[in-house]
């Protein structure tokens, strides 16, 4: 090769390498605070280390605001990508989510990428448009009062009663002196429940544990967690459907901390475990949609979400059960309907055992509402769903506020130069509105130099010094006639998002919580848990989970 050609090629390679290097360098949005010591990989090394040390991701985002002393900061968590803008200010969050979405802010890129592998055609991944609205209408009747009160509540009621039966068996073995892990039992029960709502039958996940426990001569195992105050129960084989759901849940969780979640999940789908789980999913959905279609053609009563969806589709078009949109909408209903509820309940169990006075108030409120059936009777499903129990509503809302099972809402800027606190944000930038830090669970960060003109303050009478306390009473207001009512707008809290792009299943989640705690509080007294298993440490998957979720039960 001629020397001149070699020089030209070397120069070109060096120039290309320098271009790529410059391209990879973080490019901060002017004026927004950020880590002053950014290297080539931005905040990725620090985020990875934080995740390794704490098993958390979300708190890293919130802590950035506290560490930099600003309610708005930026992080660089994806190679070659735009920064993430992190906001911890309830007034700004309300303004964006309620008034400026979806015209300026819409579904975030990260959220789309994380869910792409399992539900690529689900409306939750789409920007707001006519197609998205049409798909959302396909599932709309599942959130109607008649379905939630008369169908969904009954299906959930059956699943939760199964969990109470399992816990009675475990409580008899453990005795009131010893605690045991509750989170897995809760997740199994909520999976049974949402599958019952969606398809009209339960996979039998809780039943498998009850049967195993009754037939096992030695139900306890010895582990480092075993002691005089704690027992560990054997875990028995669950139905294949439950195992498949767990595998798919874990696949999404794995991609959460990946710099390239969509590509990462593509690789996971080629692995034997996830590939087999997806086949179980497709086969099961096909069988259930076929059965629902047959019921619709026979004119049978609609008793599940699948029945509603098939019935609605048959009114407008010739139904095709292989339609990927139909299948993804139904599976999204299943996946989202149990995971976040199970996480919220796992946190709530901590609060019930730690705050005995609040537990007593909750039990008295539920017993007062259903006094006619007696203190030791379980209220019927529809009665719970339709009941007005302000303290129960307040307890559920406070659990959502304090635990932040999903600690933020993300949006993507779709209008170039959209303003956030005086800063123009480029289109395509993901913005995270965190709900587990300043302004929500601690004093807000005062930044008078930032522009909040035209943004209304969230109306609240809450004291800033009490924001870190668990106080269901903060959600109760006394009216002129002396009646106490639940006020959902009493203060800053949006665990399900807000506005048009808020959580589609919020109403179903509310019914799940009401039914669960009304049955639990009538079935057991939750005793204090040993200190070593009672901390509020967390670990993040797609949700923000408690590291320890134990119960110590005494049957009522």
């Amino acid at each position: 090769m001629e020397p001149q050609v070699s020089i030209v090629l070397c120069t070109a390679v060096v120039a290309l390498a320098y271009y790529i290097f410059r391209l990879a360098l973080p490019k901060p949005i002017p004026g927004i605070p950020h880590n002053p010591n950014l290297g080539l990989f931005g905040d990725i090394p620090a985020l990875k280390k934080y995740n390794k040390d704490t098993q958390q991701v979300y708190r890293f985002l919130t802590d950035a605001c506290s560490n930099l002393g600003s309610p708005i900061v930026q992080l660089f968590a994806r190679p070659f990508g735009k920064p993430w803008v992190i906001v911890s200010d309830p007034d700004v969050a309300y303004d964006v989510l309620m008034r400026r979405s979806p015209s300026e802010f819409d579904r975030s890129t990260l959220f789309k990428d994380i869910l792409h592998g399992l539900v690529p055609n689900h409306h939750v991944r789409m920007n707001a448009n006519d197609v998205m609205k049409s798909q959302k209408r396909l599932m709309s009747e599942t959130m109607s009062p008649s379905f939630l009160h008369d169908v969904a509540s009954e299906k959930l009621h059956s699943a939760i009663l199964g969990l109470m039966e399992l816990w009675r068996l475990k409580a008899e073995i453990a005795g009131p002196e010893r605690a045991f892990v509750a989170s897995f039992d809760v997740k199994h029960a909520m999976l049974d429940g949402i599958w019952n709502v969606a398809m009209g039958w339960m996979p039998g996940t809780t039943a498998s544990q009850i049967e195993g426990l009754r037939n096992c001569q030695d139900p306890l195992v010895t582990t480092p967690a075993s002691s005089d105050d704690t027992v560990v129960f054997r875990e028995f084989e669950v139905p294949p459907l439950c195992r498949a759901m767990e595998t798919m849940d874990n696949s999404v969780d794995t991609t959460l901390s990946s710099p390239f979640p969509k590509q990462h999940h593509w690789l996971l789908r080629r692995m034997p475990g996830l590939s087999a789980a997806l086949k179980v999913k497709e086969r099961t959905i096909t069988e259930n949609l076929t059965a629902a279609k047959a019921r619709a053609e026979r004119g049978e009563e609609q008793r599940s979400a699948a029945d509603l969806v098939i019935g609605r589709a048959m009114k407008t078009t010739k139904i095709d059960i292989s339609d990927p949109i139909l299948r993804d909408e139904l599976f999204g209903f299943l996946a989202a309907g149990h995971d976040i509820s199970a996480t919220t309940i796992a946190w709530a169990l901590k609060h019930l055992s730690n705050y005995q006075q609040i537990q007593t108030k909750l039990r008295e409120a539920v017993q007062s509402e259903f006094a006619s059936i007696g203190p030791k009777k379980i209220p019927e499903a529809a009665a719970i769903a339709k009941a007005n129990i302000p303290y129960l509503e307040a307890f559920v809302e406070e659990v959502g506020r304090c635990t932040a099972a999903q600690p933020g809402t993300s949006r993507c800027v779709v209008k170039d130069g959209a303003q956030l606190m005086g800063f123009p944000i480029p289109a395509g930038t993901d913005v995270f509105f965190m709900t587990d830090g300043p302004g929500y669970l601690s004093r807000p960060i005062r930044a008078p130099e930032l522009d909040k003109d035209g943004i209304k303050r969230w109306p609240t009478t809450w004291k800033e010094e009490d924001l870190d306390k668990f106080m269901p009473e903060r959600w109760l207001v006394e009216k002129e006639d002396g009646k106490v009512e639940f006020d959902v707008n009493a203060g800053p809290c949006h665990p399900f998002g807000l506005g048009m792009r808020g959580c589609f299943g919020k109403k179903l989640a509310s019914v799940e919580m009401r039914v669960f705690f009304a049955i639990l509080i009538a079935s057991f007294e939750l005793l204090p848990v040993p200190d070593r298993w009672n901390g509020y440490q967390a670990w993040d998957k797609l949700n923000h989970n408690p590291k320890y979720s134990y119960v110590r039960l005494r049957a009522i």
Side-chain angles (χ1 to χ4, degrees):
M1 184 181 293
E2 294 293 331
Q4 295 87 346
V5 175
S6 299
I7 293 173
V8 170
L9 286 176
C10 289
T11 303
V13 169
V14 171
L16 179 62
Y18 181 73
Y19 172 75
I20 294 174
F21 173 78
R22 295 291 300 176
L23 190 66
L25 283 175
K27 298 174 180 59
I29 299 171
I32 299 180
H34 59 81
N35 176 4
N37 301 312
L38 289 173
L40 178 62
F41 298 103
D43 293 290
I44 295 175
L47 176 56
K48 286 290 186 183
K49 183 179 185 304
Y50 187 89
N51 179 244
K52 181 181 178 180
D53 293 343
T54 68
Q55 289 77 55
Q56 297 186 61
V57 173
Y58 298 116
R59 193 71 204 180
F60 183 84
L61 310 186
T62 306
D63 284 350
C65 291
S66 300
N67 294 338
L68 293 170
S70 173
I72 180 170
V73 301
Q74 55 185 320
L75 296 174
F76 293 84
R78 304 186 82 173
F80 300 96
K82 290 182 172 65
W84 289 352
V85 174
I86 316 299
V87 175
S88 187
D89 186 299
D91 299 332
V92 175
Y94 187 88
D95 181 65
V96 169
L97 300 176
M98 289 295 293
R99 302 187 181 97
R100 301 169 62 191
S101 297
S103 59
E104 298 179 65
F105 299 82
D106 211 330
R107 186 61 72 205
S108 78
T109 305
L110 177 65
F111 191 81
K112 293 178 184 177
D113 287 352
I114 288 174
L115 297 182
H116 177 270
L118 290 186
V119 284
N121 304 289
H122 196 281
H123 78 263
V124 76
R125 292 189 63 255
M126 304 170 66
N127 280 356
N129 54 37
D130 291 340
V131 176
M132 185 276 289
K133 294 175 184 177
S134 174
Q135 287 187 211
K136 204 171 179 180
R137 283 194 294 271
L138 185 65
M139 301 292 295
S140 60
E141 289 184 45
T142 63
M143 296 299 141
S144 66
S146 59
F147 182 77
L148 292 174
H149 295 168
D150 301 330
V151 178
S153 64
E154 177 187 329
K155 306 289 188 181
L156 294 165
H157 196 273
S158 298
I160 296 165
L161 287 179
L163 175 61
M164 297 301 107
E165 182 180 354
L166 174 62
W167 279 359
R168 284 187 186 278
L169 289 173
K170 288 190 173 183
E172 288 174 5
I173 296 170
E177 300 81 16
R178 297 188 292 179
F180 57 87
V181 174
S183 52
F184 296 114
D185 294 339
V186 171
K187 188 164 185 175
H188 289 163
M190 299 316 291
L191 177 60
D192 275 348
I194 195 61
W195 203 273
N196 204 10
V197 173
M199 301 300 190
W201 57 277
M202 288 191 283
T205 313
T206 300
S208 68
Q209 304 305 300
I210 293 174
E211 182 181 3
L213 206 57
R214 284 176 171 164
N215 296 330
C216 181
Q217 292 183 347
D218 185 12
L220 303 179
V221 295
T222 302
T223 75
S226 304
S227 68
D228 292 340
D229 58 16
T230 312
V231 295
V232 179
F233 285 93
R234 295 188 186 279
E235 290 186 30
F236 303 98
E237 186 61 33
V238 297
L241 180 59
C242 174
R243 190 65 66 204
M245 290 293 292
E246 289 176 350
T247 300
M248 289 183 283
D249 286 348
N250 290 337
S251 74
V252 175
D253 298 331
T254 300
T255 63
L256 177 63
S257 58
S258 171
F260 304 102
K262 186 189 294 187
Q263 294 78 4
H264 193 152
H265 201 274
W266 182 89
L267 290 173
L268 291 176
R269 295 197 299 277
R270 270 78 193 152
M271 301 297 174
L274 183 54
S275 176
L278 291 172
K279 290 177 182 176
V280 172
K281 163 201 163 189
E282 294 302 324
R283 182 173 64 250
T284 307
I285 289 179
T286 296
E287 291 170 355
N288 282 272
L289 287 178
T290 301
K293 182 181 178 182
R295 289 193 294 270
E297 291 172 343
R298 293 193 298 267
E300 295 182 11
E301 183 181 8
Q302 295 176 333
R303 299 298 296 171
S304 70
D307 290 342
L308 285 182
V309 173
I310 289 291
R312 184 180 184 91
M314 289 180 69
K315 292 176 184 178
T316 58
T317 183
K318 184 177 179 180
I319 190 66
D320 178 9
I321 61 172
S322 65
D323 180 4
I325 292 175
L326 177 65
R327 300 171 73 87
D328 278 4
E329 289 292 337
L330 191 58
F331 183 72
F333 180 93
L334 279 163
H338 80 281
D339 200 33
I340 184 66
S341 297
T343 301
T344 302
I345 290 169
W347 281 111
L349 295 173
K350 277 185 174 299
H351 292 298
L352 284 173
S353 62
N354 286 345
Y355 297 95
Q356 292 290 309
Q357 187 176 4
I358 290 175
Q359 182 186 157
T360 299
K361 286 184 179 180
L362 180 60
R363 183 174 292 107
E364 290 173 348
V366 172
Q367 289 178 344
S368 175
E369 177 66 21
F370 302 109
S372 60
I373 67 171
K376 295 189 177 182
K377 295 293 182 68
I378 303 297
E380 293 184 356
I384 298 173
K386 297 174 183 178
N388 177 25
I389 311 176
Y391 199 83
L392 174 58
E393 300 283 358
F395 172 78
V396 171
E397 197 72 16
E398 185 70 349
V399 168
R401 187 189 77 87
C402 288
T403 61
Q406 286 210 328
T409 300
S410 58
R411 292 289 181 265
C412 181
V413 177
V414 293
K415 180 182 179 182
D416 194 43
Q419 295 282 320
L420 268 181
M421 306 181 83
F423 301 108
I425 311 297
T429 302
D430 276 351
V431 182
F432 296 79
F433 299 94
M434 307 308 293
T435 61
D436 62 341
Y440 294 92
L441 298 180
S442 61
R443 292 177 182 273
I445 297 174
R446 307 295 184 192
E449 72 278 7
L450 298 180
D451 183 8
K452 292 178 64 174
D453 290 346
I455 296 178
K456 296 181 180 179
R457 288 185 58 82
W458 199 308
T460 181
T461 58
W462 296 351
K463 296 179 180 179
E464 292 180 359
E465 59 268 25
D466 290 338
L467 289 176
D468 62 340
K469 295 181 174 64
F470 186 79
M471 297 170 51
E473 291 78 8
R474 72 173 77 244
W475 298 99
L476 301 176
V477 294
E478 185 174 346
K479 297 297 183 180
E480 293 181 358
D481 59 4
K483 290 184 177 180
V484 175
E485 294 184 359
F486 167 68
D487 180 9
V488 71
N489 297 311
C493 180
H494 46 92
F496 295 99
L498 291 168
M500 178 181 175
R501 298 316 304 263
C503 177
F504 174 78
K506 180 179 179 179
K507 293 179 181 178
L508 175 62
S510 175
V511 171
E512 288 176 315
M513 296 295 105
R514 289 158 62 90
V515 174
F516 184 92
F517 290 111
I519 293 177
L520 174 68
I521 214 73
S523 302
F524 293 103
E525 179 184 353
L526 284 81
L527 306 172
V529 170
D531 289 344
R532 64 191 178 122
W533 305 117
N534 197 29
Y536 283 86
Q537 299 94 324
W539 60 291
D540 288 343
K541 298 174 71 177
L542 187 58
N543 299 322
H544 185 65
N545 301 273
K547 186 175 182 179
Y548 307 115
S549 180
Y550 283 72
V551 290
R552 190 162 68 93
L553 302 175
R554 179 187 290 138
I556 293 178

